[in-house]
Amino acid sequence: MGLSGMTYEYTDFANSTAPADVVRRQYLASAAGDLEALRATLAPDVEWKEMAGFPLAGTYRTPDGVTSHVMEQLGKEWDGWTAHDDTYVAEGENVVVLARYTATNKATGKPIDVRVAHHFVVRGGLIVRFEQFVDTAKVRDAMT
């Protein structure tokens, strides 16, 4: 099912430049561990902000910078890190996704299941900006 409740043909979804579709492809690529497909959703000058207090807090640029400093690092510290996207609010180039992270910390064996909100800005079929909002205390608690 598509985000609007309509059924998509795979090729339509795969090539869609609609902001919510681009964001959804990013989540699917991330969940599949397909960093090449994830990078393909990001603009060359993407600005990716992980929230202050989050273990990977900071601003990352370029598709390679985002995947190497965020996704690959999460894979090193967590088993099964997944962002489960469940609610999309899209207006123009802005897409806000309500989601949750699930994973198990490799060092402590403690699981997380924490709600998050992500704000994306999509232009020309690519994500140009991302900002994360998450309960960082829950993530850090699982790490200690």
Side-chain angles (χ1 to χ4, degrees):
M1 292 296 276
L3 298 175
S4 64
M6 299 183 333
T7 302
Y8 287 100
E9 292 295 321
Y10 179 75
T11 54
D12 291 340
F13 175 74
N15 296 315
S16 173
T17 59
D21 289 344
V22 173
V23 169
R24 178 68 178 142
R25 284 198 306 270
Q26 179 273 151
Y27 281 105
L28 292 171
S30 179
D34 187 345
L35 297 184
E36 182 178 334
L38 192 152
R39 284 189 289 270
T41 67
L42 304 176
D45 60 347
V46 65
E47 180 180 277
W48 189 278
K49 292 183 179 183
E50 297 287 317
M51 189 169 173
F54 190 70
L56 302 174
T59 301
Y60 304 96
R61 293 177 179 15
T62 78
D64 286 333
V66 170
T67 55
S68 66
H69 290 97
V70 179
M71 288 71 182
E72 289 178 18
Q73 295 307 310
L74 289 170
K76 289 177 184 176
E77 297 178 20
W78 300 86
D79 281 323
W81 184 276
T82 305
H84 305 271
D85 53 325
D86 56 38
T87 302
Y88 283 67
V89 180
E91 183 174 321
E93 64 185 14
N94 292 285
V95 180
V96 174
V97 180
L98 304 179
R100 64 187 170 85
Y101 292 149
T102 59
T104 301
N105 185 267
K106 290 181 180 182
T108 66
K110 293 180 183 177
I112 60 164
D113 187 340
V114 62
R115 294 293 290 164
V116 299
H118 293 154
H119 175 222
F120 295 86
V121 177
V122 180
R123 289 188 193 121
L126 296 172
I127 296 166
V128 296
R129 196 163 42 245
F130 165 87
E131 188 172 4
Q132 171 203 57
F133 301 90
V134 60
D135 184 344
T136 58
K138 287 188 177 185
V139 175
R140 290 197 173 274
D141 286 349
M143 298 176 74
T144 58

